[in-house]
Coordinates of all heavy atoms in Angstrom, one line a residue:
G98 N -12.7 -5.1 11.9 CA -12.8 -6.3 12.6 C -14.2 -6.9 12.5 O -15.1 -6.3 12.0
A115 N 3.0 8.1 22.4 CA 4.1 9.0 22.6 C 3.7 10.3 23.2 O 4.5 11.2 23.4 CB 4.8 9.3 21.2
A138 N -8.8 22.5 11.8 CA -7.5 21.9 11.6 C -6.5 23.0 11.3 O -5.3 23.0 11.7 CB -7.6 20.9 10.4
W182 N 5.0 4.8 -10.5 CA 3.7 4.6 -10.0 C 3.2 5.7 -9.1 O 3.6 5.8 -7.9 CB 3.7 3.2 -9.2 CG 3.9 2.0 -10.1 CD1 5.0 1.2 -10.1 CD2 3.0 1.5 -11.0 NE1 4.8 0.2 -11.0 CE2 3.6 0.4 -11.6 CE3 1.7 1.9 -11.5 CZ2 3.0 -0.4 -12.6 CZ3 1.1 1.1 -12.5 CH2 1.7 0.0 -13.0
G184 N -0.1 7.5 -7.2 CA -1.4 7.1 -6.8 C -1.4 6.2 -5.5 O -0.4 6.1 -4.8
T212 N 3.2 14.6 -8.1 CA 3.9 15.2 -9.2 C 5.0 16.1 -8.8 O 5.7 16.7 -9.6 CB 2.9 16.1 -10.0 OG1 2.3 17.0 -9.2 CG2 1.8 15.2 -10.7
I269 N -6.6 -0.6 -4.9 CA -7.0 -2.0 -5.0 C -8.5 -2.2 -4.7 O -8.9 -1.8 -3.6 CB -6.1 -2.9 -4.1 CG1 -4.6 -2.7 -4.5 CG2 -6.5 -4.4 -4.3 CD1 -4.2 -3.1 -5.9
W278 N -8.8 -17.5 -15.1 CA -7.8 -18.6 -15.5 C -7.4 -18.6 -16.9 O -6.5 -19.3 -17.3 CB -8.5 -19.9 -15.1 CG -8.8 -20.1 -13.7 CD1 -10.0 -19.9 -13.1 CD2 -7.9 -20.4 -12.6 NE1 -9.9 -20.1 -11.7 CE2 -8.6 -20.4 -11.4 CE3 -6.5 -20.6 -12.6 CZ2 -8.0 -20.6 -10.2 CZ3 -5.9 -20.9 -11.4 CH2 -6.6 -20.9 -10.2
A312 N 0.9 -19.4 -5.3 CA 1.0 -20.4 -6.3 C 2.4 -20.3 -6.9 O 3.1 -19.3 -6.7 CB -0.1 -20.2 -7.4
E342 N -1.1 -22.4 -1.4 CA -1.7 -22.0 -0.2 C -3.2 -21.6 -0.5 O -3.4 -20.7 -1.4 CB -1.0 -20.8 0.4 CG -1.6 -20.4 1.8 CD -0.7 -19.3 2.5 OE1 0.3 -18.9 1.9 OE2 -1.1 -18.8 3.5
R367 N -12.5 -28.7 -11.9 CA -12.2 -27.4 -12.5 C -12.5 -26.3 -11.6 O -13.6 -26.2 -11.0 CB -13.0 -27.3 -13.8 CG -12.7 -26.1 -14.7 CD -13.2 -26.3 -16.1 NE -12.9 -25.1 -16.9 CZ -13.1 -25.1 -18.2 NH1 -13.6 -26.1 -18.8 NH2 -12.8 -24.0 -18.9
F368 N -11.5 -25.4 -11.5 CA -11.7 -24.1 -10.8 C -12.4 -23.2 -11.8 O -11.9 -23.0 -13.0 CB -10.4 -23.5 -10.4 CG -9.8 -24.1 -9.2 CD1 -9.0 -25.2 -9.2 CD2 -10.1 -23.6 -7.9 CE1 -8.4 -25.8 -8.1 CE2 -9.6 -24.2 -6.8 CZ -8.7 -25.3 -6.9

Side-chain angles (χ1 to χ4, degrees):
W182 293 109
T212 56
I269 303 300
W278 298 101
E342 188 175 357
R367 187 164 180 172
F368 283 89

